[in-house]
Amino acid sequence: MTPIERDPTWPEVSFQDRMDTVRFDVHERAHIVVDGSKCEGCSTQHCVVACPANLFVPTSDGGIVFNYEQCFECGTCYLVCNVEGAITWTYPDGGHGVVFRRT
Ligand code: SF4
Ligand code: SF4
């Protein structure tokens, strides 16, 4: 597969600078829940590399730590996870969640 090249006319932007362009109106209810027991034995852990916000962190015992607070609501984790029931995905309750803005 041919790697995707970055358009050279686009400015280089660090991950932190990108994160600084959004804010999060966090609701107390987690809109994504990860069932850690289902993650045990997951050999791919696709969520770790696929999440653009780096919210899935592998632990030394093969588990996953997940935090929903800085989620972009892109749905990628739900699409790439191949273990049924490991991820329960909904949008945050109305008016909450990520707020994108231009810089
Ligand atoms: S969330 Fe899905 S892809 Fe990620 S570790 Fe758990 S089972 Fe694997
Ligand atoms: S919806 Fe997107 S940003 Fe949110 S946890 Fe899943 S992959 Fe990460």
Side-chain angles (χ1 to χ4, degrees), residues 6-13 18:
R6 183 179 67 84
D7 185 329
T9 63
W10 292 2
E12 290 241 23
V13 181
R18 286 189 194 282

Side-chain angles (χ1 to χ4, degrees), residues 44-51 56 75-83 87:
T44 63
Q45 295 190 332
H46 285 320
C47 57
V48 176
V49 292
C51 175
F56 292 82
T76 306
C77 55
Y78 189 68
L79 291 174
V80 300
C81 178
N82 57 4
V83 176
I87 295 178

Side-chain angles (χ1 to χ4, degrees), residues 32 50-53 55-56 66 71-77 89:
I32 298 174
C51 175
L55 299 180
F56 292 82
F66 172 74
C71 171
F72 294 148
E73 301 164 33
C74 65
T76 306
C77 55
W89 204 104

